[in-house]
Amino acid sequence: MRAYAEGLVLALISIVAIWGAWQVPAASPGDTWAGIVPFSASIALLFLSGLLLLGAVRQTAGDTVQEQDSGATLQIIGLFVIALIYQQSFRWFGYLLPTAIAAPVVLYFFGVRSWIGLAVSVVLCPLIFHLIFFVLLGVYPPYGEVFDLLSWIQG
């Protein structure tokens, strides 16, 4: 029963995430749609929820119950909440500051416990993502309404 619940919760979260990704405005001709990454991640979550539900269907009543990580569902929901806050914070603080805060939090969430690695991720993740999306792909960087670190750095 737990596997069904986890699969259904993940399916619901992914459907909400797909809807949220569709709320991203369309790209102008020649530009890359800014919603491509959240939309792709949402589709991947929907696929994973399908796998969870398929595994729950295949599980028979006579099988021995395997001990599951009781925090798996909470971790999935936690990552979803972090992603929502991260995406919303773009509007207020631009791209660099939310990425510098979210990167070590998510890495810690996935088991990175090296304080040096987490500290380095504060600088490297925003830098690498900035180079990939805004320099190489030519996506327009979002500027923050309250504070924007990128405009402050550029002067």
Side-chain angles (χ1 to χ4, degrees), residues 37-67:
V37 173
F39 182 74
S40 301
S42 303
I43 294 295
L45 280 177
L46 188 60
F47 177 74
L48 289 174
S49 70
L51 290 178
L52 281 174
L53 290 171
L54 184 62
V57 168
R58 289 184 178 178
Q59 188 178 29
T60 62
D63 287 344
T64 60
V65 178
Q66 297 177 355
E67 189 174 322

Side-chain angles (χ1 to χ4, degrees), residues 1-133:
M1 188 64 173
R2 179 187 170 103
Y4 284 114
E6 289 176 349
L8 290 174
V9 166
L10 186 57
L12 179 65
I13 289 172
S14 63
I15 289 170
V16 170
I18 289 170
W19 175 81
W22 278 116
Q23 302 307 310
V24 175
S28 58
D31 287 339
T32 305
W33 179 48
I36 191 78
V37 173
F39 182 74
S40 301
S42 303
I43 294 295
L45 280 177
L46 188 60
F47 177 74
L48 289 174
S49 70
L51 290 178
L52 281 174
L53 290 171
L54 184 62
V57 168
R58 289 184 178 178
Q59 188 178 29
T60 62
D63 287 344
T64 60
V65 178
Q66 297 177 355
E67 189 174 322
Q68 297 179 354
D69 182 12
S70 62
T73 303
L74 291 176
Q75 289 177 342
I76 292 170
I77 293 171
L79 282 174
F80 180 71
V81 168
I82 290 170
L84 285 177
I85 293 170
Y86 175 63
Q87 185 272 334
Q88 181 59 38
S89 65
F90 281 4
R91 170 183 282 166
W92 300 320
F93 304 108
Y95 177 75
L96 290 179
L97 187 61
T99 303
I101 294 170
V105 171
V106 171
L107 288 172
Y108 187 83
F109 208 79
F110 278 109
V112 175
R113 298 295 188 252
S114 165
W115 290 107
I116 295 171
L118 294 173
V120 168
S121 74
V122 169
V123 175
L124 281 185
C125 288
L127 177 65
I128 291 170
F129 295 151
H130 181 82
L131 290 174
I132 290 171
F133 289 108

